[in-house]
Amino acid sequence: MIKKDITQVKEWKKLGLKCGLEVHQQLDTNKLFCNCPSILRQEEPDFTVKRKLHAVAGESGDIDIAAKHETAQDKEFIYKVYNNVNCLVELDEEPPHEINKEALKISLQIAILLNCKILPITQIMRKTVIDGSNTSGFQRTVMIARDGFIETNQGKVKIEGLFLEEDSARPMIRDGKNIIYRLDRLGIPLLEIATAPDIKTPEQAKEVALHIGDILRSCRVKRGIGTIRQDINISIKGSNRVELKGFQDPKIMVKTVENEISRQQDFLKKRMNNPSEVRNVLPDGTSKFLRPMPGEARMYPETDLLLLNIHRNLINEIKRNLPKLRSEVLEDLKKTGLNHEMIKLLIRQNKFEEFKEFLRILDNPQLIAKILLIFPKEIASREKISINKIGKILNKEVLVYVLENLKRKKISEDQLKQSLERIVKGEKIEKAIVFEKEDINVVEEKIIEIIKRKQGLSLNAYMGLVMKEFHGKIDGKEVMEIIKKYVE
Amino acid sequence: MKSNAKLGDYVEVHLSKIIYEGILLETPESEKGVVLLKLDSGYNIGLNKKDILEIKLIKKSQERKEDIIIKKESSKPNIAMIITGGTIAARLNPKKGGVDWLTTPEDLFKFYPELFKKVNVIKVEVPFMKASEDMDFKDWQKIAKTAQRLLNDSNIKGLIITHGTDFLGYTAAALSFFLRDLNKPVVLTYSQRSIDRASSDANLNLECSALAAISNITEVMLVGHASINDDFCYAIPATKVRKLHSSRRDAFKVVNSKPFAKIFHDKIEIISDYKVRNRNKVKLDLKFVDKVALIKIYPGQDSSILNYYLRNKYKGIILEMSGLGHAPTKRSRNNWVKKLKEIQKKGLIVCVTAQTIYGRLNPLVYSNGRELFDTGIIYLEDMLSETALIKLGWVLAKTKNREEIKKLMLTNFSHELNDRLEE
């Protein structure tokens, strides 16, 4: 490991390190060119679709080098499709709808926060991608703004451009020449922020990443693993530019940049040219060849949509309503009727965004606060598992799944916590929401028995006793009805 | 703003505070006040003309001419193609903003190399280039004439016709009636997804069309995606096909019949009976009376609309009726019975098809149907409305005799009638 002191910084400068960052952040809206919700699924898909892609000459008449590489094999792509998060647009069976206005507004907010100049007229483009990760064979992308900057300890770093694009499908399995993708992620709005190659040291790269991350989190963006991805473009004097793709964790950024620098140095020592290529970052900070660097031949206009005009009025409106500060967030939470303690916990544990998101699934602030704050803690102490581990098991997707089943009345509020417990204990989520139902006559007999045995208790006390007896196999509301019948 | 730069040139565009560099593109019709520029990153942006101080030419665009040589291999069968327009033959020209048509074997080869793996495309004819919604009977006649010439050329084993999707069903039906004594396969095909994208459905459609064109299925047929998968196509009788989706690649469905075959990129699975290749000379039967109309019946509709057709000397009308073949009758405020009797007396031929699309008409089940049937209107069994319109125009050119017309309309010429509905 190289020691990073002043001499090291000089060392980087001597090497002529040029480093630019690309941050890709999912926005928290419906999809960019259709009205599907932007939610990732865990379950088995509703159906699958088989497709092939053919390389096509771009507008210059050239087939893009990256596209050529991908089409070398006669691949078949299999797409797993989910009815509730996919429509004909993601299936490449319907033209795109008008660009999502919410996503555009959020992008413009971020553009303003990054001191960018917004383009008044711009065109939605198709970027040829034929590794199958886009059913259409291209990714829709549009340049929204340019020429911004952020301040760092080592000086200004210029923001070259801001691009709003569609996220790609998730690759699941590579099975010989076939690749299986899930279509849930395809079309989720993804904001790309590209800095100029102004970054001079790996430390500064990390600082830029964190700074941009802070701005993003003040706006309506998705949170959690996979919702933000970072690429770094790196070259040193005499070497060709290499794009490192897929950083999840800023912690390994410094190490990865250092590794890439020494990799490029090795080429130079051998008096060889390193190929300009895209490489995938591995968890240990090294990287692996992914594909050749794509050229400009792969961009052409999205002919199904009109030019995008970003009106002055819209920009002014956004400037007037830039994201809320922490104190304002507090006000919002108070309006939901949550008590002070819960609000404090939500903010401290940084669960505010999830809270808002879950509230959109089920309008029950108290229950959602419990799901986020209380239940994990209770389960952790009962099962003697660390709260961190519980948090990983009961991740957002699991909670969304359980909440949706509650909304569809597949489980009751009483059963929800038990479902979570069972998931923590290792049950599959599909099974953990299945409950045996106790015969209501048996329940009624038991209730009569309990009331006889322990006379004079309150309704709630009886309720507790009955629920304990049947351990979640019964519906609390029904039980209360029966108890009321016998306790006057 | 003056400039000697032309579309496609690399330029500097000077605004008051910034200079952009990029390739000058043509602006879409709807955005005349805008200059469109392709930046080095590949992104296009628009600049308001009134903000531009100067456009400075940096580098002239270079015309690229590629010489594509398509090798003709004697081991492969020869086919011919007729290109008529539509998405399948339109490629985006980003310099113009509009489309260029693919009209030569070389153009086709560049976009559809797979097609040429199976066959030699030895002739490409372009009678006209139109979107299908702009076509009429004269265009169908032109296609038929070209088709006849190609089909009677002994070097050619089969014919592929590419066409826009919107009104493809009408052209398909017209060719079924216009081309008599067919000797070789006539395959109509299309694309729903533009061909500039790697996912275009045109590739599979053309590959399967090539197999159909060299097969033994001597019919006019439409070949296209069977589902939203890129795995196989159906070859559907041209009189029994309808566009049933505005955007999906499997938009065309067989109605009240079965496909002739299921076609994969490398094999054909036969599904139903067809005529086989023969040594006939194809004849043309092109005469067509275009004073025919297709009218859809809706609740409360006023029958006096028919006066318009009488006044304008229409000869025949297809009424697309509800259910088993119904229109407003005696309990309606707008009883059609009287008007139907009147216009038929004045010489108008009235035929009926089903607006349910699927299924056969039967006017005898309900009293309303019987009342309409008794006016003498001709119920066309399970025939598609679009096919019926074409057939009526074609039959009316043959005879003016009412009984003869009815007989011909109910004679099966090209699979348009099916007396056994299995589904």
Side-chain angles (χ1 to χ4, degrees):
Chain A
M1 190 76 197
I2 310 161
K3 213 176 143 207
K4 289 168 286 292
D5 51 18
I6 304 290
T7 47
Q8 187 56 62
V9 172
K10 279 185 183 158
E11 196 63 29
W12 299 129
K13 282 190 179 150
K14 222 163 73 190
L15 281 173
L17 174 64
K18 271 189 174 179
C19 177
L21 206 59
E22 277 177 28
V23 179
H24 298 86
Q25 168 71 58
Q26 286 180 354
L27 304 184
D28 190 15
T29 66
N30 278 355
K31 293 193 175 175
L32 192 53
F33 292 106
C34 65
N35 288 320
C36 287
S38 299
I39 298 173
L40 301 187
R41 316 299 308 200
Q42 300 278 6
E43 323 85 279
E44 278 304 296
D46 294 302
F47 61 97
T48 59
V49 171
K50 275 188 242 167
R51 288 284 167 73
K52 287 192 167 175
L53 293 176
H54 306 254
V56 177
E59 55 193 329
S60 60
D62 298 325
I63 291 181
D64 182 65
I65 175 165
K68 245 184 208 163
H69 168 77
E70 286 155 358
T71 196
Q73 307 96 322
D74 182 28
K75 283 186 203 135
E76 186 169 78
F77 303 108
I78 296 168
Y79 297 103
K80 299 198 163 211
V81 191
Y82 297 88
N83 285 330
N84 47 8
V85 298
N86 292 133
C87 69
L88 290 181
V89 173
E90 291 101 318
L91 279 166
D92 189 39
E93 290 288 19
E94 185 181 314
H97 302 188
E98 208 184 324
I99 196 163
N100 183 325
K101 289 223 168 67
E102 279 306 303
L104 181 61
K105 276 187 191 168
I106 298 168
S107 311
L108 293 172
Q109 278 179 348
I110 295 167
I112 294 165
L113 292 171
L114 288 167
N115 310 300
C116 290
K117 296 182 178 71
I118 291 163
L119 296 166
I121 308 160
T122 181
Q123 187 163 40
I124 295 156
M125 306 295 291
R126 298 169 170 179
K127 189 192 283 180
T128 306
V129 178
I130 60 168
D131 62 359
S133 60
N134 288 71
T135 47
S136 53
F138 54 75
Q139 178 190 32
R140 295 188 184 91
T141 173
V142 57
M143 187 171 182
I144 296 288
R146 57 168 189 92
D147 197 16
F149 62 90
I150 52 174
E151 301 282 2
T152 74
N153 288 329
Q154 296 174 47
K156 254 188 196 179
V157 171
K158 206 178 142 200
I159 305 289
E160 272 190 344
L162 220 77
F163 311 88
L164 183 54
E165 51 194 34
E166 306 173 290
D167 206 344
S168 53
R170 290 198 284 167
M172 305 309 290
I173 306 166
R174 277 166 215 271
D175 147 31
K177 67 174 193 171
N178 300 333
I179 305 182
I180 299 178
Y181 287 96
R182 276 190 189 161
L183 274 197
D184 49 2
R185 199 179 69 183
L186 181 62
I188 294 181
L190 197 61
L191 186 70
E192 180 187 315
I193 299 164
T195 77
D198 289 353
I199 299 169
K200 308 269 180 339
T201 70
E203 288 295 345
Q204 195 186 16
K206 188 177 162 189
E207 195 190 340
V208 170
L210 290 174
H211 192 122
I212 291 176
D214 276 349
I215 289 177
L216 290 174
R217 276 190 294 278
S218 76
C219 299
R220 239 178 81 197
V221 299
K222 292 242 172 213
R223 304 289 290 271
I225 289 280
T227 58
I228 183 162
R229 305 195 287 276
Q230 272 132 12
D231 305 342
I232 300 187
N233 285 292
I234 301 174
S235 67
I236 53 177
K237 208 186 286 167
S239 73
N240 288 321
R241 181 168 72 99
V242 167
E243 181 178 323
L244 296 175
K245 228 179 168 48
F247 283 92
Q248 294 274 357
D249 185 359
K251 281 178 210 142
I252 64 162
M253 188 174 281
V254 174
K255 193 174 158 196
T256 314
V257 173
E258 286 171 355
N259 283 338
E260 178 57 26
I261 291 168
S262 27
R263 204 184 64 85
Q264 293 188 12
Q265 279 178 312
D266 287 347
F267 274 96
L268 291 177
K269 272 180 211 149
K270 293 181 208 145
R271 294 179 184 282
M272 281 162 65
N273 265 329
N274 67 309
S276 191
E277 63 196 19
V278 181
R279 301 177 67 83
N280 230 346
V281 174
L282 304 174
D284 66 353
T286 60
S287 63
K288 199 177 95 185
F289 170 78
L290 188 67
R291 57 168 181 256
M293 190 74 81
E296 286 98 54
R298 69 173 185 159
M299 298 276 270
Y300 68 106
E302 169 52 86
T303 46
D304 296 342
L305 295 164
L306 298 174
L307 288 183
L308 181 62
N309 284 287
I310 303 174
H311 293 287
R312 197 69 235 168
N313 294 346
L314 179 66
I315 299 171
N316 289 339
E317 184 200 316
I318 289 167
K319 278 188 177 160
R320 281 195 300 273
N321 300 299
L322 280 174
K324 287 185 179 171
L325 305 173
R326 209 178 136 104
S327 58
E328 291 167 319
V329 171
L330 257 165
E331 279 309 304
D332 272 7
L333 282 173
K334 276 184 194 156
K335 278 182 209 149
T336 63
L338 286 185
N339 66 35
H340 188 62
E341 282 306 305
M342 287 284 210
I343 293 174
K344 248 168 60 184
L345 278 175
L346 273 177
I347 292 186
R348 197 183 304 150
Q349 296 187 20
N350 216 355
K351 296 255 167 87
F352 172 61
E353 291 299 326
E354 269 172 290
F355 177 78
K356 275 202 305 190
E357 198 175 328
F358 289 1
L359 217 49
R360 280 200 288 278
I361 301 175
L362 191 77
D363 188 19
N364 184 342
Q366 303 295 342
L367 180 69
I368 287 170
K370 277 190 204 162
I371 291 172
L372 286 170
L373 303 167
I374 311 291
F375 293 168
K377 223 171 154 187
E378 287 180 0
I379 297 171
S381 71
R382 183 171 318 150
E383 302 298 326
K384 299 195 169 49
I385 301 174
S386 78
I387 189 84
N388 271 343
K389 203 168 167 197
I390 299 270
K392 272 183 194 152
I393 300 170
L394 299 179
N395 59 32
K396 198 169 110 192
E397 282 159 35
V398 170
L399 294 179
V400 166
Y401 181 79
V402 176
L403 263 182
E404 282 183 341
N405 277 290
L406 174 64
K407 189 183 180 184
R408 281 193 234 121
K409 301 210 163 67
K410 278 204 174 162
I411 54 170
S412 66
E413 273 188 47
D414 301 332
Q415 289 167 337
L416 184 136
K417 188 176 157 197
Q418 291 175 51
S419 288
L420 297 181
E421 275 173 11
R422 284 162 63 182
I423 292 166
V424 170
K425 284 182 188 164
E427 244 182 85
K428 284 202 169 155
I429 57 168
E430 293 87 358
K431 281 200 178 152
I433 55 150
V434 180
F435 286 89
E436 280 175 49
K437 211 164 177 206
E438 195 62 56
D439 182 347
I440 199 72
N441 293 321
V442 176
V443 177
E444 186 153 358
E445 269 172 41
K446 194 77 203 175
I447 290 173
I448 296 171
E449 191 203 307
I450 290 174
I451 294 174
K452 267 189 191 159
R453 202 171 54 202
K454 301 196 171 184
Q455 291 189 5
L457 299 181
S458 70
L459 288 176
N460 283 335
Y462 285 124
M463 181 78 185
L465 289 171
V466 177
M467 294 310 277
K468 202 172 160 194
E469 188 77 31
F470 291 98
H471 202 76
K473 291 178 188 171
I474 47 175
D475 181 50
K477 272 186 197 150
E478 277 180 59
V479 170
M480 195 43 119
E481 290 298 308
I482 299 171
I483 295 175
K484 276 182 184 164
K485 251 181 16 193
Y486 295 99
V487 179
E488 269 314 309
Chain B
M1 178 195 71
K2 273 186 194 168
S3 176
N4 51 352
K6 292 211 171 64
L7 298 180
D9 291 346
Y10 195 86
V11 296
E12 271 181 16
V13 181
H14 293 245
L15 309 187
S16 60
K17 283 184 190 156
I18 181 172
I19 299 170
Y20 285 103
E21 286 179 8
I23 297 166
L24 199 60
L25 304 175
E26 189 174 89
T27 311
E29 281 292 321
S30 54
E31 302 275 358
K32 277 298 168 210
V34 173
V35 165
L36 209 56
L37 196 68
K38 176 176 280 301
L39 305 179
D40 292 343
S41 60
Y43 282 90
N44 295 359
I45 62 167
L47 302 167
N48 272 318
K49 274 187 184 159
K50 57 181 193 308
D51 297 338
I52 297 172
L53 307 176
E54 188 192 359
I55 297 181
K56 212 161 131 186
L57 175 69
I58 303 297
K59 202 177 149 201
K60 280 259 158 228
S61 86
Q62 281 172 349
E63 277 296 316
R64 293 163 47 104
K65 276 210 173 140
E66 282 173 274
D67 289 324
I68 296 178
I69 297 158
I70 309 169
K71 270 191 238 155
K72 196 182 144 190
E73 290 170 38
S74 54
S75 60
K76 289 191 282 192
N78 297 335
I79 64 156
M81 289 180 75
I82 301 177
I83 314 280
T84 66
T87 303
I88 192 166
R91 73 153 292 188
L92 174 79
N93 182 332
K95 280 185 199 166
K96 293 196 316 193
V99 294
D100 283 343
W101 298 111
L102 308 185
T103 53
T104 66
E106 287 74 21
D107 292 340
L108 291 166
F109 181 77
K110 207 163 136 191
F111 276 86
Y112 306 119
E114 282 88 358
L115 170 67
F116 290 76
K117 282 184 190 159
K118 296 191 168 72
V119 293
N120 299 315
V121 181
I122 60 163
K123 262 191 188 162
V124 175
E125 300 261 349
V126 187
F128 53 82
M129 286 304 261
K130 280 186 189 184
S132 67
E133 61 270 28
D134 294 335
M135 293 185 195
D136 59 35
F137 75 101
K138 292 200 168 149
D139 299 306
W140 308 330
Q141 289 170 334
K142 271 186 206 158
I143 299 175
K145 278 184 200 162
T146 313
Q148 183 213 26
R149 187 156 40 76
L150 295 168
L151 290 167
N152 288 340
D153 178 340
S154 59
N155 289 319
I156 290 165
K157 210 170 169 205
L159 175 62
I160 297 177
I161 303 169
T162 64
H163 198 287
T165 57
D166 280 12
F167 285 161
L168 174 48
Y170 291 88
T171 304
L175 293 178
S176 303
F177 298 116
F178 290 177
L179 298 171
R180 306 316 306 161
D181 297 337
L182 201 62
N183 53 6
K184 295 165 191 172
V186 175
V187 183
L188 291 134
T189 196
Y190 65 90
S191 130
Q192 283 274 78
R193 294 276 84 75
S194 60
I195 61 172
D196 51 69
R197 58 173 85 196
S199 63
S200 174
D201 52 334
N203 294 288
L204 183 73
N205 288 353
L206 278 171
E207 278 184 82
C208 295
S209 294
L211 282 192
I214 58 176
S215 75
N216 204 12
I217 308 173
T218 303
E219 303 277 3
V220 182
M221 66 194 117
L222 180 139
V223 169
H225 270 69
S227 73
I228 60 173
N229 296 300
D230 285 336
D231 48 7
F232 64 87
C233 290
Y234 280 135
I236 303 174
T239 52
K240 285 293 198 193
V241 68
R242 196 177 196 280
K243 188 178 184 187
L244 282 167
H245 201 281
S246 61
S247 62
R248 274 168 61 146
R249 58 194 70 203
D250 60 343
F252 288 93
K253 298 289 181 196
V254 65
V255 175
N256 295 334
S257 184
K258 284 187 205 167
F260 292 123
K262 203 169 166 177
I263 308 183
F264 296 81
H265 72 96
D266 55 355
K267 64 174 179 191
I268 297 186
E269 283 175 14
I270 296 300
I271 294 176
S272 64
D273 292 346
Y274 54 84
K275 291 189 205 79
V276 296
R277 283 177 183 276
N278 54 66
R279 288 166 182 278
N280 292 341
K281 284 279 171 208
V282 175
K283 291 181 199 68
L284 291 175
D285 188 350
L286 293 180
K287 271 188 270 163
F288 190 83
V289 171
D290 68 330
K291 284 285 182 189
V292 285
L294 173 55
I295 302 168
K296 185 173 186 143
I297 301 290
Y298 56 86
Q301 192 176 9
D302 183 351
S303 62
S304 63
I305 183 75
L306 295 171
N307 295 339
Y308 169 86
Y309 294 95
L310 262 184
R311 233 181 13 249
N312 287 284
K313 306 207 162 37
Y314 272 70
K315 301 282 179 272
I317 287 176
I318 305 291
L319 289 179
E320 207 177 60
M321 289 195 181
S322 62
L324 290 165
H326 304 133
T329 47
K330 54 182 175 291
R331 277 174 211 85
S332 157
R333 269 192 291 261
N334 292 290
N335 188 346
W336 276 57
V337 172
K338 202 176 135 207
K339 181 60 79 181
L340 285 174
K341 282 182 189 160
E342 179 197 324
I343 62 168
Q344 289 182 93
K345 212 178 252 171
K346 289 182 180 161
L348 209 58
I349 299 294
V350 182
C351 298
V352 185
T353 57
Q355 54 180 253
T356 57
I357 300 175
Y358 288 93
R360 184 191 310 284
L361 299 174
N362 189 332
L364 302 180
V365 177
Y366 297 103
S367 58
N368 283 355
R370 290 184 189 200
E371 208 181 322
L372 289 160
F373 181 67
D374 288 342
T375 66
I377 55 180
I378 305 164
Y379 279 79
L380 295 180
E381 300 281 334
D382 68 316
M383 201 186 298
L384 276 169
S385 305
E386 297 78 11
T387 300
L389 180 75
I390 304 293
K391 187 172 179 184
L392 185 57
W394 183 67
V395 165
L396 288 174
K398 297 184 184 307
T399 171
K400 289 195 167 110
N401 179 297
R402 196 183 166 74
E403 277 316 303
E404 190 63 17
I405 290 167
K406 183 173 179 179
K407 200 181 122 199
L408 289 173
M409 284 309 288
L410 293 171
T411 303
N412 203 4
F413 284 88
S414 190
H415 306 285
E416 70 273 23
L417 292 163
N418 180 5
D419 52 15
R420 278 192 68 245
L421 296 190
E422 291 181 20
E423 286 175 26

